[in-house]
Amino acid sequence: MEQEKNNSTKNVTRGAFWASIIFYGLIAFEFFYMFSPFAAYIYSIYGPGLDTLNLTGSTSWLISFFMPHIARETQSVFITWHEMIGMTLFLGGFAAFLIGAAQIYWSKLKNSGAVFGGIYNHIRHPQYLALMISSFGMVLVWPRYLVLLGFVTVCFAYFFLARIEEGSCKQRFDGYGDYCSQTGMFFLPVIEQLFYKLPWPHKRWSRIIASLGLYLCVLMMAFSAARAIHLYSVNNLYTYTTEKEVYLSLGQIDADEISEMVHIVKSDSSVAASLVEFQDPDQRFINYVMPASLFVSEVPMYIPEGQVPTHEWPSNKDQSRYKIIFSLAHFSPESQAKDLDILLRAINKTPVLEVWIDRSSQTIEKILNSTPDQYYEGMPVPVF
């Protein structure tokens, strides 16, 4: 009977572990396929789910980005380098996970029982901690509110998985109870002692309700922090705004320079004629400003045949020739915005017009009519 109980616990633990891995993996995988040659095809798998969230303002914010993905250069060092920081955490956490896994499987090969040494000497679940660090890195690399939701969820899942495993190990391995009293679950004991002092109910259903309440509180704090970062990010972009338009530069350039290019463009009669049909007072625009030699897949623009879109640093490109891509901003049904709020609330955009400028001669080089999105037509991708 005891053996059956242990096997049952082990199966539950293993099933819950892989369920959490798959759950967060589906979200994290979005980042990797967005940089693969098959991005457009794989992204369509996620399209229906994202479109469903897009139907109402109460859920559309979940698919928004709270840090830039398209804009490579900002006025904030942290915001500019957040993807690099995130990738470092992701790879570092994954490497730590492999080290912990190596210790576990080496112990199994030697049939030496529970692992108490190495990185397990101070904390009992370094593998779960490593996965949490890796998952947080993914939040920075691909900062959708939805990914943040996944991160908080799997952190709680890892905690309960760890508790289940410890109950099983205490039954199977002599001295495991003493080992638990001398080590921390995820952090050093001196840190975790602070949490042990918090009151916690003893009855099962009371613990379940308290755990759910704690999860919701942590989730609200995480979303509040992300919203603050969202505001900070938008305010540190290189932009020039009017009531109905945001001109967003992907690289470092001041508002006066953007304004000068806008003046050149708006003064051209052909451009004015092309934009005349978009005079509805309720329409809002996100207009992307970048070097003419930069091509980005998430911005609906003309991309020459054979040219591969990239996320290169705009400052490394030729600064004498620029382009402005005019796009109509889309919002959830209940939302409307003006000025920088356009970037905060927009959930997608539609191409309108593309204008190339020779900055040295201050002339229009070419005007291209709206180009169908070659990669993510109608799909909700980052707007800044």
Side-chain angles (χ1 to χ4, degrees):
M1 180 64 71
E2 188 66 26
Q3 183 63 38
E4 290 179 2
K5 183 178 179 180
N6 287 336
N7 289 338
S8 177
T9 302
K10 184 177 180 180
N11 289 336
V12 169
T13 303
R14 183 178 299 169
F17 172 78
W18 285 112
S20 65
I21 289 291
I22 293 171
F23 173 77
Y24 193 81
L26 286 172
I27 299 173
F29 183 61
E30 181 183 6
F31 163 74
F32 293 100
Y33 66 66
M34 285 291 281
F35 284 91
S36 77
F38 307 102
Y41 300 100
I42 304 177
Y43 200 84
S44 63
I45 298 174
Y46 286 77
L50 297 179
D51 287 338
T52 299
L53 292 173
N54 233 348
L55 293 176
T56 172
S58 60
T59 56
S60 63
W61 61 273
L62 280 169
I63 63 176
S64 299
F65 279 66
F66 56 87
M67 283 191 283
H69 177 68
I70 299 174
R72 302 304 297 169
E73 299 167 7
T74 73
Q75 300 176 62
S76 165
V77 174
F78 168 68
I79 299 301
T80 297
W81 291 97
H82 72 86
E83 288 186 4
M84 186 64 69
I85 296 170
M87 185 55 69
T88 301
L89 291 173
F90 174 78
L91 295 176
F94 187 66
F97 171 79
L98 293 179
I99 293 172
Q103 280 194 249
I104 291 291
Y105 284 100
W106 179 248
S107 175
K108 287 185 177 182
L109 287 173
K110 294 173 62 179
N111 198 25
S112 56
V115 177
F116 299 120
I119 60 175
Y120 288 85
N121 191 41
H122 301 288
I123 58 175
R124 302 190 295 277
H125 302 281
Q127 285 182 280
Y128 287 154
L129 177 61
L131 288 174
M132 291 180 199
I133 293 172
S134 190
S135 297
F136 181 70
M138 185 53 58
V139 172
L140 296 181
V141 171
W142 203 236
R144 285 189 192 269
Y145 286 94
L146 190 61
V147 180
L148 181 61
L149 169 64
F151 167 68
V152 173
T153 301
V154 296
C155 284
F156 272 79
Y158 291 148
F159 171 78
F160 289 111
L161 286 169
R163 291 291 298 271
I164 294 172
E165 285 186 359
E166 288 180 0
S168 176
C169 288
K170 286 177 181 178
Q171 297 177 11
R172 295 172 58 195
F173 303 113
D174 293 335
Y176 195 85
D178 293 334
Y179 167 69
C180 288
S181 65
Q182 298 168 9
T183 55
M185 179 178 281
F186 301 114
F187 305 101
L188 295 176
V190 65
I191 298 175
E192 292 195 354
Q193 286 297 330
L194 300 175
F195 296 96
Y196 294 152
K197 295 178 182 180
L198 298 175
W200 200 251
H202 298 288
K203 294 183 179 180
R204 181 186 178 190
W205 283 107
S206 298
R207 290 200 308 269
I208 292 174
I209 294 172
S211 298
L212 180 60
L214 179 61
Y215 168 74
L216 294 175
C217 286
V218 171
L219 202 57
M220 289 178 62
M221 288 190 291
F223 283 153
S224 297
R227 182 60 178 177
I229 294 173
H230 195 164
L231 291 168
Y232 176 75
S233 298
V234 168
N235 280 288
N236 278 276
L237 297 171
Y238 292 103
T239 60
Y240 167 72
T241 64
T242 67
E243 184 176 351
K244 294 177 58 177
E245 298 174 301
V246 172
Y247 291 86
L248 168 61
S249 175
L250 305 197
Q252 182 176 352
I253 184 171
D254 61 44
D256 289 338
E257 292 180 277
I258 300 174
S259 176
E260 181 182 348
M261 286 189 279
V262 172
H263 177 72
I264 295 170
V265 168
K266 289 293 185 75
S267 298
D268 186 88
S269 58
S270 297
V271 173
S274 298
L275 294 175
V276 71
E277 62 179 291
F278 301 99
Q279 299 300 315
D280 188 325
D282 292 331
Q283 290 180 331
R284 300 292 184 265
F285 293 84
I286 300 175
N287 305 325
Y288 297 92
V289 181
M290 69 190 80
S293 56
L294 181 62
F295 301 95
V296 181
S297 61
E298 290 89 354
V299 178
M301 66 174 72
Y302 164 71
I303 299 178
E305 186 175 351
Q307 176 71 50
V308 178
T310 65
H311 285 265
E312 297 178 78
W313 292 85
S315 58
N316 294 335
K317 296 292 186 178
D318 179 9
Q319 300 297 301
S320 65
R321 297 170 62 246
Y322 258 67
K323 59 189 173 188
I324 298 179
I325 294 93
F326 291 83
S327 68
L328 190 63
H330 299 295
F331 305 90
S332 63
E334 302 89 347
S335 183
Q336 189 53 278
K338 62 180 181 178
D339 304 320
L340 276 180
D341 276 351
I342 296 170
L343 282 179
L344 286 168
R345 299 185 185 184
I347 55 179
N348 216 335
K349 67 274 184 186
T350 299
V352 172
L353 191 69
E354 182 172 336
V355 184
W356 291 38
I357 309 158
D358 186 326
R359 297 182 68 192
S360 57
S361 63
Q362 295 192 335
T363 57
I364 301 297
E365 189 174 287
K366 67 173 72 173
I367 300 173
L368 302 172
N369 291 325
S370 60
T371 303
D373 193 333
Q374 299 181 32
Y375 294 90
Y376 313 113
E377 181 66 37
M379 299 179 189
V381 295
V383 297
F384 70 98

